[in-house]
Coordinates of all heavy atoms in Angstrom, one line a residue:
I1386 N 9.9 12.0 8.4 CA 9.2 12.9 7.3 C 10.3 13.5 6.4 O 10.2 13.5 5.2 CB 8.4 14.0 8.0 CG1 7.2 13.3 8.7 CG2 7.8 14.9 6.9 CD1 6.4 14.4 9.5
L1387 N 11.3 14.0 7.0 CA 12.4 14.7 6.3 C 13.1 13.7 5.3 O 13.5 14.0 4.2 CB 13.4 15.4 7.2 CG 12.8 16.5 8.0 CD1 13.8 17.0 9.1 CD2 12.4 17.7 7.1
L1388 N 13.4 12.5 5.9 CA 14.1 11.5 5.0 C 13.2 11.1 3.9 O 13.7 10.9 2.7 CB 14.5 10.3 5.9 CG 15.8 10.4 6.7 CD1 16.0 9.2 7.5 CD2 17.0 10.6 5.7
M1389 N 11.9 10.9 4.1 CA 11.1 10.5 3.0 C 11.1 11.6 1.9 O 11.1 11.2 0.7 CB 9.6 10.3 3.5 CG 9.5 8.9 4.2 SD 7.7 8.6 4.6 CE 7.5 9.6 6.0
A1390 N 11.0 12.8 2.3 CA 11.1 13.9 1.3 C 12.4 13.9 0.5 O 12.4 14.1 -0.8 CB 10.9 15.3 2.0
L1391 N 13.5 13.6 1.1 CA 14.8 13.5 0.5 C 14.8 12.3 -0.5 O 15.3 12.5 -1.7 CB 15.9 13.3 1.5 CG 17.3 13.1 0.9 CD1 17.8 14.2 0.1 CD2 18.3 12.8 2.0
G1392 N 14.2 11.2 -0.2 CA 14.2 10.1 -1.1 C 13.4 10.3 -2.3 O 13.8 10.0 -3.4
Y1393 N 12.2 11.0 -2.1 CA 11.4 11.3 -3.3 C 12.1 12.3 -4.2 O 12.0 12.2 -5.4 CB 10.1 11.9 -2.9 CG 9.1 10.9 -2.3 CD1 8.7 10.9 -1.0 CD2 8.6 9.9 -3.1 CE1 7.8 10.0 -0.5 CE2 7.8 8.9 -2.7 CZ 7.3 9.0 -1.3 OH 6.5 8.0 -0.9
L1394 N 12.9 13.2 -3.6 CA 13.7 14.1 -4.4 C 14.7 13.4 -5.3 O 14.9 13.8 -6.5 CB 14.4 15.1 -3.5 CG 15.3 16.2 -4.2 CD1 14.5 17.1 -5.1 CD2 16.1 17.0 -3.2
L1395 N 15.4 12.4 -4.8 CA 16.4 11.6 -5.5 C 15.7 11.0 -6.8 O 16.4 10.9 -7.8 CB 17.0 10.6 -4.7 CG 18.0 11.1 -3.6 CD1 18.4 9.9 -2.7 CD2 19.2 11.8 -4.2
I1396 N 14.5 10.5 -6.6 CA 13.8 9.9 -7.8 C 13.2 10.9 -8.7 O 13.0 10.6 -9.9 CB 12.8 8.9 -7.3 CG1 13.4 7.8 -6.3 CG2 12.1 8.1 -8.4 CD1 12.5 6.9 -5.7
A1397 N 12.8 12.0 -8.2 CA 12.1 13.0 -9.0 C 12.9 13.7 -10.0 O 12.4 14.2 -11.0 CB 11.4 14.0 -8.0
I1398 N 14.2 13.8 -9.7 CA 15.1 14.5 -10.6 C 15.2 13.7 -12.0 O 15.7 12.6 -12.0 CB 16.5 14.7 -10.0 CG1 16.5 15.5 -8.7 CG2 17.5 15.3 -11.0 CD1 17.8 15.5 -8.0
P1399 N 14.8 14.3 -13.1 CA 14.8 13.6 -14.4 C 16.2 13.2 -14.8 O 17.2 14.0 -14.7 CB 14.2 14.6 -15.3 CG 13.4 15.5 -14.5 CD 14.2 15.6 -13.2
T1400 N 16.4 12.0 -15.3 CA 17.7 11.6 -15.9 C 17.4 11.0 -17.3 O 16.2 10.7 -17.6 CB 18.3 10.4 -15.0 OG1 17.3 9.4 -14.8 CG2 18.7 11.0 -13.7
P1401 N 18.4 10.9 -18.1 CA 18.1 10.6 -19.5 C 17.4 9.2 -19.7 O 17.8 8.2 -19.0 CB 19.5 10.6 -20.2 CG 20.3 11.4 -19.3 CD 19.8 11.2 -17.9
T1402 N 16.5 9.2 -20.6 CA 15.8 7.9 -21.0 C 15.6 7.9 -22.5 O 15.2 9.0 -23.0 CB 14.4 7.9 -20.3 OG1 14.5 8.1 -18.9 CG2 13.7 6.5 -20.6
P1403 N 15.9 6.8 -23.2 CA 16.4 5.5 -22.7 C 17.7 5.7 -21.9 O 18.5 6.6 -22.2 CB 16.5 4.7 -23.9 CG 15.7 5.3 -24.9 CD 15.7 6.8 -24.6
V1404 N 17.9 4.8 -21.0 CA 19.1 4.9 -20.1 C 20.3 4.2 -20.7 O 20.3 3.0 -21.1 CB 18.7 4.2 -18.8 CG1 19.9 4.2 -17.8 CG2 17.5 4.8 -18.1
S1405 N 21.4 5.0 -20.8 CA 22.6 4.5 -21.4 C 23.4 3.6 -20.5 O 24.1 2.7 -20.9 CB 23.5 5.7 -21.9 OG 23.8 6.5 -20.8
N1406 N 23.3 3.9 -19.2 CA 24.1 3.1 -18.2 C 23.1 2.6 -17.1 O 22.8 3.3 -16.1 CB 25.1 4.0 -17.5 CG 26.1 3.2 -16.6 OD1 25.7 2.2 -16.1 ND2 27.3 3.7 -16.4
V1407 N 22.4 1.5 -17.4 CA 21.3 1.0 -16.5 C 21.8 0.7 -15.1 O 21.2 1.1 -14.2 CB 20.7 -0.2 -17.2 CG1 19.7 -0.9 -16.2 CG2 19.9 0.1 -18.5
P1408 N 23.0 0.0 -14.9 CA 23.4 -0.2 -13.5 C 23.5 1.0 -12.7 O 23.1 1.1 -11.5 CB 24.7 -0.9 -13.7 CG 24.6 -1.6 -15.1 CD 23.9 -0.6 -15.9
L1409 N 24.1 2.1 -13.3 CA 24.3 3.3 -12.5 C 23.0 4.0 -12.1 O 22.8 4.3 -10.9 CB 25.2 4.3 -13.3 CG 25.3 5.7 -12.7 CD1 26.0 5.7 -11.4 CD2 26.0 6.7 -13.7
F1410 N 22.1 4.2 -13.1 CA 20.9 5.0 -12.8 C 19.9 4.1 -12.0 O 19.1 4.6 -11.2 CB 20.3 5.5 -14.1 CG 21.1 6.6 -14.7 CD1 21.9 6.4 -15.8 CD2 21.0 7.9 -14.1 CE1 22.7 7.5 -16.3 CE2 21.7 9.0 -14.7 CZ 22.6 8.8 -15.7
L1411 N 19.9 2.8 -12.3 CA 19.1 1.9 -11.5 C 19.5 1.9 -10.0 O 18.7 1.9 -9.1 CB 19.1 0.5 -12.0 CG 18.1 -0.5 -11.4 CD1 16.6 0.1 -11.5 CD2 18.2 -1.8 -12.1
T1412 N 20.8 2.0 -9.8 CA 21.4 2.1 -8.4 C 20.9 3.4 -7.8 O 20.5 3.4 -6.6 CB 22.9 2.0 -8.4 OG1 23.3 0.8 -9.0 CG2 23.5 2.2 -7.0
I1413 N 20.9 4.5 -8.5 CA 20.5 5.8 -7.9 C 19.0 5.7 -7.6 O 18.6 6.1 -6.5 CB 20.7 6.9 -9.0 CG1 22.2 7.2 -9.2 CG2 20.0 8.2 -8.5 CD1 22.5 8.1 -10.3
T1414 N 18.2 5.1 -8.4 CA 16.8 4.9 -8.1 C 16.6 4.0 -6.9 O 15.8 4.4 -6.0 CB 16.1 4.2 -9.3 OG1 16.1 5.1 -10.4 CG2 14.6 3.9 -9.0
C1415 N 17.4 3.0 -6.7 CA 17.3 2.1 -5.6 C 17.7 2.8 -4.3 O 17.1 2.5 -3.2 CB 18.0 0.8 -5.8 SG 17.3 -0.3 -7.1
V1416 N 18.7 3.6 -4.4 CA 19.2 4.4 -3.2 C 18.0 5.3 -2.8 O 17.7 5.4 -1.6 CB 20.4 5.2 -3.5 CG1 20.7 6.2 -2.4 CG2 21.6 4.3 -3.7

Side-chain angles (χ1 to χ4, degrees):
I1386 295 175
L1387 295 174
L1388 277 176
M1389 283 188 281
L1391 175 60
Y1393 285 117
L1394 178 62
L1395 289 174
I1396 302 175
I1398 299 172
T1400 53
T1402 308
V1404 179
S1405 58
N1406 189 335
V1407 172
L1409 173 62
F1410 287 102
L1411 186 56
T1412 298
I1413 293 173
T1414 297
C1415 290
V1416 168

